[in-house]
Amino acid sequence: MKKLLSTICLLGGALMASAQETAMPLIQNVQAYEAMSLNGEWNYIVDVQEEGYYDYRMNPMRNGFFINAKPKRPEDLIEYDFDKSDVMQIPSDWNTKDERLFFYEGTVWFKKSFQAVPMTDCKTLLYFGAVNYDCHVYVNGKKAGHHIGGFTAFNYDISDLLVEGENTVIVKVDNKRHADAVPTQIFDWWNYGGITRDVKLVKVPMVYLEDYNLQLLKGEAKGKKRQITFSAKLSKPEAGHTVTVSIPELKLKKTFTTDADGQVQSSIFNIQSKALQLWCPENPKLYRVDISLDTSTISDEIGFRTIETRDKQILLNGKPVFLKGISIHEEKANGGGRANSVEDAQTLLSWAQELGCNFVRLAHYPHNEYMVREAERRGIMVWSEIPCYWTIAWTNPDTYQNAQNQLRDMIARDHNRANIIIWSIANETPHSAQRDQFLGRLAKYARSQDSTRLISMAMEVTGASNYVNRLNDNMNEYVDVVSFNQYIGWYRDVNDAPKMRWEIPYNKPVIISEFGGGARYGLHGAKNQRWTEEFQENLYKENTAMLDKIEGLSGTTPWILKDFRSPRRVLPGVQDYYNRKGLFSDKGEKKLAFYILRDWYKTK
């Protein structure tokens, strides 16, 4: 736990007339810096018609709710008051914190006050772990920035917006769905609105390490040595800064000088192979890494491993591995609501480990950093995904840029996490030339940001006749691992799994990224009776037997760990706005199918 900031940095304390409208690059390893949490009680105002932002002609106002106005004379007309409004615990979602907002999609304003003391030798970043979906951020009535995307972190330099004494952050949050958004208007999970992850004020030097990258190079050890590559980028393009990297346990230490772009170009550490413990599920070894910039030092815990493919095998540290996985939504373990704490991550991942999992698919968007780091400590490999889900506006340039921004920020936050082995760019997207161009660009962009991991996406099986299923997707040329969703026994061909044959005409590893079916916990009956635990149990028996026949099968992530809320699931008495495909109920109770998958994984 980082100690609270005793002081918050100001650059002279003066307010600037303007502030940046877009988020600055995301800071790497924000947990390493001294910070003051802004979690806790925030006042909030529900603004159905956005009167706090637009006038009655729908023109943006200069004096909206964000200026936090107070009447100065008895006759002043101000029709809102944050300080008299309800409070909500942040981080959270408004759907489960206020029963009036359970189905609400629209704008809610949030306000938090805090104290600051001027300083001139550092900067203050305002950091949000995530806000769903479209948010405008104001500090003391001045615009700090605008962010789009519900599951990626962002930060702003607010040093010049702070004043001595009481300061106020106001956030306009809008979670309305749009056809040109990412995800688009239709998706099968709850559209939890609000400030859903941590908020903090982060103290950083005037020039700080914006990003760094420390990776074990792929391939076999050269002779008796392994090679670790390091690179770094400062927050300013300044030459002459000293960057020192130290891994005490490995007795490695090296000093670099930044170039004119404020960067340390890729450099190699050579290390004796026998001295290096590789990260793996059986031994999730993490090394303390200290990185100094001039006179300031931050620390991280980093594991070293390689992930590659060879024909139809996935190789972890040069050895074939079978990915015994499960898909997970970012929803609290016992009941609904957005998961947002270390405890949430620990519970969900402990359930996955009870199944025998060494792998999780964090669907269908980047999850909380707590989840990724906790999985890393537990030796659980991760598939991380952006929400290009179902039908995206493929020809809209702004939609593409939105998707690329989310991909950029997902990679930027987690590229030093050893357990992330797959970046996924999409799920169940309909085939078209426009889609291929859109996703092909994303795949190439992902490789440009990180060439050390595998690229995949959840495809659909499109060719099926006479119980022969053939995967045919032009995106096969862009991915390292061929992954696809199939619901034999649920959406098609009920009880026909034993008859199925699969043709996958690509010399690449195969992951079945989804299969499964729904069951209401405690509902029992015949194995051919929908919604019973026996139906789901039998479906898993038949599917696992079928999957054993697929050539090149390298892993599965069945759908899904636990029941989760979805507005598409309306059947009274059975679904009640929950997708019931979980192996655990929404209250954490194991269904019969849990034991089928657990026992199958014991054979792998």
Side-chain angles (χ1 to χ4, degrees), residues 161-180:
L161 300 181
L162 295 173
V163 296
E164 184 172 2
E166 182 169 281
N167 290 260
T168 300
V169 176
I170 292 177
V171 185
K172 177 185 181 290
V173 183
D174 184 351
N175 75 329
K176 288 193 295 290
R177 293 166 292 119
H178 298 280
D180 58 355

Side-chain angles (χ1 to χ4, degrees), residues 193-254:
I195 302 174
T196 58
R197 297 180 188 162
D198 292 340
V199 187
K200 59 180 76 175
L201 297 171
V202 184
K203 177 182 176 180
V204 297
M206 298 296 288
V207 179
Y208 59 91
L209 275 169
E210 178 184 288
D211 191 23
Y212 56 88
N213 189 57
L214 198 62
Q215 301 281 348
L216 180 65
L217 290 182
K218 291 182 180 180
E220 297 295 325
K222 296 182 177 180
K224 296 181 179 180
K225 292 186 178 181
R226 285 276 194 177
Q227 292 185 317
I228 295 173
T229 181
F230 173 78
S231 59
K233 181 182 179 183
L234 305 187
S235 58
K236 284 186 177 181
E238 293 182 354
H241 289 276
T242 299
V243 177
T244 300
V245 183
S246 173
I247 310 177
E249 190 174 344
L250 295 175
K251 296 181 173 58
L252 290 180
K253 188 173 183 178
K254 199 167 185 178

Side-chain angles (χ1 to χ4, degrees), residues 31-301:
Q31 300 178 42
Y33 292 88
E34 188 178 350
M36 183 175 81
S37 174
L38 293 186
N39 293 349
E41 291 187 346
W42 289 55
N43 295 97
Y44 70 100
I45 298 173
V46 181
D47 189 7
V48 177
Q49 295 192 11
E50 298 186 279
E51 64 176 334
Y53 190 76
Y54 298 106
D55 65 20
Y56 73 111
R57 303 294 188 191
M58 288 303 292
N59 299 308
M61 296 188 298
R62 298 184 62 184
N63 59 343
F65 287 3
F66 48 85
I67 68 170
N68 194 29
K70 301 291 183 183
K72 297 180 180 178
R73 302 172 302 169
E75 64 268 28
D76 286 347
L77 177 62
I78 298 175
E79 297 182 272
Y80 70 96
D81 190 332
F82 278 106
D83 296 329
K84 294 179 180 178
S85 298
D86 291 339
V87 296
M88 185 180 297
Q89 288 292 321
I90 298 298
S92 64
D93 58 90
W94 64 58
N95 312 80
T96 58
K97 291 299 182 181
D98 185 338
E99 62 182 10
R100 301 171 301 172
L101 304 179
F102 185 65
F103 289 104
Y104 180 67
E105 295 185 341
T107 289
V108 177
W109 295 81
F110 293 89
K111 173 248 177 184
K112 179 76 171 182
S113 295
F114 60 92
Q115 296 291 316
V117 178
M119 292 183 70
T120 58
D121 60 348
C122 62
K123 288 180 175 290
T124 299
L125 304 186
L126 176 58
Y127 177 93
F128 292 85
V131 178
N132 190 36
Y133 170 78
D134 185 321
C135 77
H136 296 263
V137 179
Y138 303 86
V139 177
N140 297 323
K142 303 294 184 179
K143 188 72 168 284
H146 177 211
H147 183 264
I148 294 176
F151 304 98
T152 51
F154 57 98
N155 45 237
Y156 303 107
D157 180 357
I158 63 166
S159 305
D160 293 334
L161 300 181
L162 295 173
V163 296
E164 184 172 2
E166 182 169 281
N167 290 260
T168 300
V169 176
I170 292 177
V171 185
K172 177 185 181 290
V173 183
D174 184 351
N175 75 329
K176 288 193 295 290
R177 293 166 292 119
H178 298 280
D180 58 355
V182 182
T184 186
Q185 282 181 308
I186 300 175
F187 45 88
D188 188 19
W189 66 86
W190 206 265
N191 187 24
Y192 289 117
I195 302 174
T196 58
R197 297 180 188 162
D198 292 340
V199 187
K200 59 180 76 175
L201 297 171
V202 184
K203 177 182 176 180
V204 297
M206 298 296 288
V207 179
Y208 59 91
L209 275 169
E210 178 184 288
D211 191 23
Y212 56 88
N213 189 57
L214 198 62
Q215 301 281 348
L216 180 65
L217 290 182
K218 291 182 180 180
E220 297 295 325
K222 296 182 177 180
K224 296 181 179 180
K225 292 186 178 181
R226 285 276 194 177
Q227 292 185 317
I228 295 173
T229 181
F230 173 78
S231 59
K233 181 182 179 183
L234 305 187
S235 58
K236 284 186 177 181
E238 293 182 354
H241 289 276
T242 299
V243 177
T244 300
V245 183
S246 173
I247 310 177
E249 190 174 344
L250 295 175
K251 296 181 173 58
L252 290 180
K253 188 173 183 178
K254 199 167 185 178
T255 298
F256 310 89
T257 302
T258 60
D259 61 19
D261 295 322
Q263 296 187 26
V264 173
Q265 300 298 333
S266 184
S267 183
I268 301 295
F269 288 89
N270 289 309
I271 182 171
Q272 295 293 324
S273 297
K274 63 181 181 181
L276 183 65
Q277 295 183 53
L278 300 184
W279 185 96
C280 64
E282 298 77 21
N283 179 35
K285 174 64 178 177
L286 299 176
Y287 289 94
R288 194 191 91 214
V289 178
D290 299 322
I291 306 175
S292 298
L293 171 61
D294 300 328
T295 60
S296 63
T297 300
I298 61 171
S299 297
D300 203 347
E301 287 188 316

Side-chain angles (χ1 to χ4, degrees), residues 546-595:
M546 175 186 67
L547 298 181
D548 275 332
K549 301 174 185 177
I550 295 179
E551 182 186 2
L553 184 68
S554 292
T556 68
T557 51
W559 195 257
I560 185 169
L561 181 68
K562 67 171 289 288
D563 295 348
F564 62 94
R565 281 196 168 116
S566 170
R568 298 175 61 83
R569 310 296 174 166
V570 300
L571 182 61
V574 174
Q575 292 173 312
D576 300 320
Y577 296 107
Y578 274 93
N579 186 312
R580 296 294 184 188
K581 295 186 181 70
L583 298 178
F584 287 82
S585 75
D586 57 293
K587 295 180 175 60
E589 301 144 321
K590 296 184 180 73
K591 303 177 191 177
L592 293 176
F594 167 93
Y595 302 99

